[in-house]
Amino acid sequence: MKRIVLFGDLTMMGLRAGKASDTLAKRIRKDFPGFEVINMSISDYKTNNAMTRVDRVKRLDPKIVILGFGANDISIEDEIKPGKFAANLTNIITSLGNRKIILLSPPYIDWIKDPTRPWTRQLQFELVTEHLSKQLDVSYIDLLHKMANCANLKELLQSDGLHFTKQGYNLLESELIPEIKATLAQDTKLVSN
């Protein structure tokens, strides 16, 4: 069975009313019915924690891994430095294989409602993911700026300013679907040559 794996934190997991909802995985299953979509995300994980699960993801032999960390890493509580974040992501990407990765930047978070995730750190960590995408030659979605530039920004997040609403997942899905298709097409080209 061909697999798409979601590997990330609270953004990838999806929370509604404080409970895991697997919203994004359900949406991707509808868009890619020939694939098994497995969500290996854990809402409170940082990239440090994710390092312990890379082998599990690898054993699933996915065609695509959507890598979405950063919402927790940018928190100033139990702070992770941008360099450590970069090193962790580099290890994850090289372990899984850069050709199958779609890397997301950290999402936009309302730092007024959640001052533990300041705007300056959101920007720093987005720059880290953008740089890594170029350095490691992986597909990339700048989720932070896609969200920040939306006219309906306040509608993308729940009242806590952190978790996505239905509209937030609509935006994420609209960005992911073309990237998944392009990554699959690239894989098909490589196989047929």
Side-chain angles (χ1 to χ4, degrees):
M1 166 74 52
K2 297 180 291 188
R3 294 186 178 106
I4 297 172
V5 173
L6 281 65
F7 188 35
D9 55 29
L10 57 94
T11 302
M12 303 296 283
M13 174 50 72
L15 288 174
R16 291 255 165 110
K19 295 184 179 177
S21 68
D22 209 22
T23 301
L24 186 58
K26 289 175 186 172
R27 288 167 171 249
I28 293 172
R29 281 183 196 109
K30 287 180 186 172
D31 291 313
F32 296 92
F35 285 80
E36 181 181 15
V37 179
I38 301 170
N39 197 341
M40 295 289 291
S41 305
I42 298 181
S43 68
D44 61 349
Y45 263 27
K46 295 182 178 186
T47 53
N48 283 343
N49 310 104
M51 298 295 294
T52 65
R53 295 178 61 88
V54 172
D55 285 340
R56 288 182 190 173
V57 173
K58 199 173 188 174
R59 279 194 298 268
L60 293 171
D61 191 28
K63 285 282 186 193
I64 293 181
V65 177
I66 301 166
L67 195 57
F69 287 96
N72 296 321
D73 291 86
I74 64 172
S75 174
I76 57 176
E77 295 176 347
D78 191 25
E79 184 176 328
I80 289 180
K81 300 289 184 201
K84 180 64 175 168
F85 178 68
N88 289 342
L89 283 177
T90 299
N91 287 334
I92 293 167
I93 291 167
T94 55
S95 293
L96 296 175
N98 67 329
R99 293 284 175 218
K100 59 176 71 177
I101 300 289
I102 298 173
L103 178 62
L104 301 177
S105 77
Y108 172 86
I109 297 165
D110 186 337
W111 68 93
I112 304 295
K113 292 181 179 178
D114 188 345
T116 67
R117 292 170 167 91
W119 177 241
T120 52
R121 281 188 55 90
Q122 291 180 49
L123 289 170
Q124 278 181 316
F125 281 60
E126 184 281 321
L127 287 171
V128 167
T129 54
E130 182 180 11
H131 175 74
L132 284 178
S133 73
K134 293 174 183 170
Q135 183 182 28
L136 301 174
D137 191 27
V138 296
S139 296
Y140 180 63
I141 297 172
D142 181 355
L143 186 57
L144 176 73
H145 288 100
K146 296 281 184 198
M147 293 175 73
N149 293 325
C150 270
N152 64 337
L153 176 59
K154 298 228 183 274
E155 296 172 14
L156 301 178
L157 298 171
Q158 295 178 34
S159 61
D160 63 4
L162 177 63
H163 296 96
F164 281 29
T165 61
K166 181 179 178 182
Q167 292 89 339
Y169 281 109
N170 288 344
L171 172 78
L172 181 52
E173 181 182 22
S174 73
E175 295 296 324
L176 272 174
I177 299 312
E179 282 298 322
I180 293 171
K181 288 179 180 176
T183 303
L184 289 171
Q186 182 182 15
D187 183 52
T188 303
K189 272 189 202 172
L190 291 173
V191 170
S192 65
N193 286 339

